[in-house]
Amino acid sequence: MTLSINLKLPNGVEYDQPLGLFINGEFVKGVEGKTFDVINPSTEKVICSVHEATEKDVDIAVRAARTAFEGEWHKITPAERGRLLCKLADLFEENLLKMASIEALDNGKSVSMAKGDVSAAAACLRYYGGWADKIHGKVIDTEHGKFNYTKQEPIGVCGQIIPWNFPILMWAWKIAPAVATGNVVVIKTSELTPLSALVAAELIVKAGFPPGVINILSGFGKTAGAAISSHMDVDKVAFTGSTVTGRTIMKAAANSNLKKVTLELGGKSPNIVFDDADIDEAISWVNFGIFYNHGQCCCAGSRIYVQEGIYDTFVEKFKKRIKENVVGDPFENETFQGPQISQLQFDKIMEYIEHGKTQGAKVEIGGKRHGDVGYFIEPTIFSNVDDSMKIMQEEIFGPVASIAKFKTVGDAIALGNKTTFGLASAVHTKNLETALTVANSLKAGTVWVNTYNTLHTALPFGGFKESGIGRELGKAALANYTQLKTVSMNMNGAMF
Ligand code: ADP
């Protein structure tokens, strides 16, 4: 199979899609010669096939990364690392429509939403580009005759494993802080959405990154992913995906070289609306909180709790609002919700919907497949739910939410925290005291007040409880990719 193919997209974008593994600055075929098909979730048809990385390719990529780390990359100044990241950000922006269209094709999100992802990816690359030459250690005084200082050194070869829900944005979240801090990377994209990162590989070459600093592999979790997380010469693994896979990766790290681990995992986030909230604004945010990206967000607000005074009005108005969400072709301008990513995800979500029905939850709206081609599901709301139900406890990762009533601030907090996850949450109220009390009491890495899903590159993001380890974004993410070295010098030769 060739290393690239010409693709013509429904919106007129035409380009050469790279298909190879990107190792040491070049596109290559996998050692075992394997390939796999990439499916368009809107049509269920094959877009193209890409080369597949197996354990041997991971090994080659890790060696290339190690050589870069010990060699050329080591000599590059922090300011130059920053300049390269900023240049890459510019190139992302120059290729905005092309990259967004690829995301629409491969992932199924609308082109307009995908443009937001590409812009956010560029912003992330530029933000960490800015950090590259501002990472300092400290001088620490202990006693006369001693000079002590700390340095924040890169960890080395970082293995990164990303999911399919925000292919290029997750790529940027992972690459940017790692490279800014002087690490090198072997990143594996999701087997469901490998295309945009391969185009980013071309931009890496154009930006002028030395070969081997960023290596990009298309491949499967159980083979290439497992090879990264258990590799003896990978110093750190950073993962975003399901909690189940996160556990597997942590075990692999523990059983190999005890590589450092950061995990950004699942969620079952509460979205709490008080009687005194602006009901129409709250509905807009609740709607965006669960149906944005077709419910395929680890921070999706899938448990909606509404105070009893406005509950009935809220449900009626919310149902009307949901009917305005246009479900359909990602290449149509007005589309808000595209297809789910795969047949497997579609089936899992439909199973949850059936389970909700058999457990006695009431379908307020939706609950069925949308159309008969592509993995489209109607936006779905369940009421009459209780906390023991599977649909209230497990991450569905689709356009399905449950709505329930609460009475007091105390009830809202208790219900919000009734989950093993702790990624995100929100509270809608005009009362500052209520907002602060709830925000301080929810056990979640992010609490949004009168908003939802409004992430920003400068704001740390990550999980309490079983939602993860470490923080992405903001200054906090630099800690994921640096290790502190203490140098303690004896200045006068005396022993004690
Ligand atoms: P999902 O089930 O929603 O696809 P996963 O968490 O399984 O989510 O997938 C996220 C990423 O993790 C993908 O890149 C996938 O290939 C990878 N992955 C899956 N299983 C493993 C594994 N055992 N080891 C390493 N990576 C894995």
Side-chain angles (χ1 to χ4, degrees):
M1 198 180 77
T2 57
L3 286 170
S4 80
I5 186 175
N6 183 266
L7 291 181
K8 292 185 186 72
L9 309 190
N11 59 351
V13 168
E14 184 177 352
Y15 74 107
D16 289 330
Q17 171 65 50
L19 304 172
L21 311 175
F22 184 68
I23 301 178
N24 209 24
E26 284 174 350
F27 288 105
V28 295
K29 297 179 180 180
V31 171
E32 292 187 28
K34 290 186 176 177
T35 61
F36 64 93
D37 290 343
V38 183
I39 309 288
N40 178 341
S42 305
T43 61
E44 304 178 39
K45 294 212 169 91
V46 176
I47 301 167
C48 60
S49 298
V50 293
H51 292 274
E52 179 187 336
T54 60
E55 196 177 337
K56 289 176 191 151
D57 304 294
V58 168
D59 218 31
I60 295 169
V62 170
R63 256 183 279 143
R66 176 63 64 195
T67 305
F69 184 69
E70 305 295 347
E72 203 178 340
W73 190 236
H74 201 65
K75 295 180 209 133
I76 279 178
T77 61
E80 176 61 6
R81 295 201 300 264
R83 200 194 61 78
L84 287 166
L85 281 168
C86 291
K87 176 77 185 146
L88 190 58
D90 292 345
L91 291 168
F92 266 51
E93 280 163 354
E94 280 168 31
N95 287 274
L96 183 79
L97 177 64
K98 175 174 155 186
M99 293 185 90
S101 306
I102 298 166
E103 292 291 74
L105 181 80
D106 195 4
N107 167 282
K109 64 178 71 195
S110 69
V111 176
S112 55
M113 296 284 175
K115 278 184 182 168
D117 288 9
V118 179
S119 297
C124 179
L125 293 166
R126 193 170 287 122
Y127 173 83
Y128 285 104
W131 268 116
D133 58 358
K134 297 168 194 70
I135 300 161
H136 308 298
K138 286 182 177 156
V139 172
I140 303 173
D141 286 330
T142 53
E143 60 208 278
H144 289 300
K146 290 277 167 64
F147 175 58
N148 313 296
Y149 64 94
T150 59
K151 289 179 75 193
Q152 285 187 299
E153 295 196 349
I155 294 174
V157 178
C158 298
Q160 303 183 315
I161 300 171
I162 55 173
W164 44 260
N165 56 343
F166 292 89
I168 204 63
L169 186 59
M170 291 301 106
W171 185 91
W173 282 23
K174 290 278 178 288
I175 295 288
V179 168
T181 44
N183 296 279
V184 294
V185 163
V186 175
I187 188 165
K188 189 194 83 63
T189 50
S190 166
E191 58 273 33
L192 298 172
T193 52
L195 300 185
S196 53
L198 296 175
V199 171
E202 292 182 316
L203 304 182
I204 285 169
V205 175
K206 217 168 168 186
F209 279 91
V213 172
I214 301 171
N215 304 277
I216 304 169
L217 304 178
S218 311
F220 291 87
K222 291 209 164 75
T223 50
I228 289 173
S229 49
S230 60
H231 202 288
M232 291 302 284
D233 200 32
V234 170
D235 302 303
K236 186 231 160 76
V237 62
F239 168 74
T240 297
S242 62
T243 298
V244 175
T245 304
R247 282 185 210 280
T248 308
I249 286 174
M250 204 162 170
K251 278 186 208 151
N255 291 336
S256 54
N257 59 344
L258 269 180
K259 55 179 66 65
K260 318 280 177 270
V261 180
T262 45
L263 304 172
E264 204 264 90
L265 307 174
K268 192 74 186 172
S269 300
N271 205 345
I272 300 167
V273 185
F274 282 89
D275 284 348
D276 69 350
D278 179 315
I279 192 163
D280 294 319
E281 272 180 26
I283 284 169
S284 292
W285 286 117
V286 167
N287 184 49
F288 190 67
I290 178 63
F291 297 121
Y292 168 60
N293 212 39
H294 332 159
Q296 303 169 138
C297 293
C298 42
C299 52
S302 50
R303 291 184 297 135
I304 303 162
Y305 294 108
V306 181
Q307 204 167 12
E308 55 185 0
I310 56 162
Y311 180 85
D312 293 335
T313 317
F314 187 98
V315 172
E316 284 319 303
K317 282 188 159 212
F318 189 27
K319 285 192 323 202
K320 266 197 205 133
R321 178 68 187 75
I322 288 170
K323 287 185 191 140
E324 291 168 22
N325 293 353
V326 178
V327 182
D329 181 353
F331 285 91
E332 291 294 335
N333 280 338
E334 69 277 11
T335 296
F336 174 71
Q337 185 187 314
Q340 307 310 125
I341 191 68
S342 65
Q343 182 73 53
L344 191 73
Q345 284 297 319
F346 176 90
D347 291 343
K348 263 194 209 171
I349 297 163
M350 292 310 291
E351 229 172 82
Y352 274 114
I353 291 176
E354 289 316 309
H355 206 271
K357 289 178 189 167
T358 51
Q359 283 202 313
K362 178 182 170 201
V363 177
E364 288 285 349
I365 192 163
K368 297 193 295 294
R369 176 180 199 142
H370 172 94
D372 45 21
V373 179
Y375 312 123
F376 296 89
I377 295 178
E378 291 177 348
T380 301
I381 293 287
F382 279 109
S383 63
N384 197 31
V385 286
D386 73 62
D387 299 320
S388 65
M389 289 180 181
K390 216 167 142 169
I391 55 166
M392 285 292 275
Q393 287 299 328
E394 295 181 16
E395 185 175 43
I396 299 174
F397 226 65
V400 182
S402 300
I403 190 161
K405 215 183 277 187
F406 72 91
K407 283 193 174 130
T408 64
V409 172
D411 294 343
I413 294 166
L415 288 167
N417 285 333
K418 228 172 177 181
T419 168
T420 54
F421 293 110
L423 189 59
S425 58
V427 48
H428 302 266
T429 174
K430 285 191 189 128
N431 184 315
L432 193 57
E433 193 186 337
T434 307
L436 286 175
T437 305
V438 177
N440 289 333
S441 308
L442 287 174
K443 294 184 170 61
T446 293
V447 184
W448 284 297
V449 179
N450 295 332
T451 182
Y452 207 96
N453 272 341
T454 42
L455 288 89
H456 191 282
T457 314
L459 300 175
F461 180 75
F464 280 27
K465 299 198 269 185
E466 292 180 27
S467 287
I469 299 174
R471 291 291 175 274
E472 300 201 271
L473 303 183
K475 188 182 176 191
L478 301 174
N480 294 348
Y481 290 100
T482 50
Q483 45 194 351
L484 206 57
K485 177 180 276 179
T486 301
V487 180
S488 182
M489 296 172 71
N490 191 356
M491 307 296 287
N492 59 13
M495 274 199 77
F496 297 104

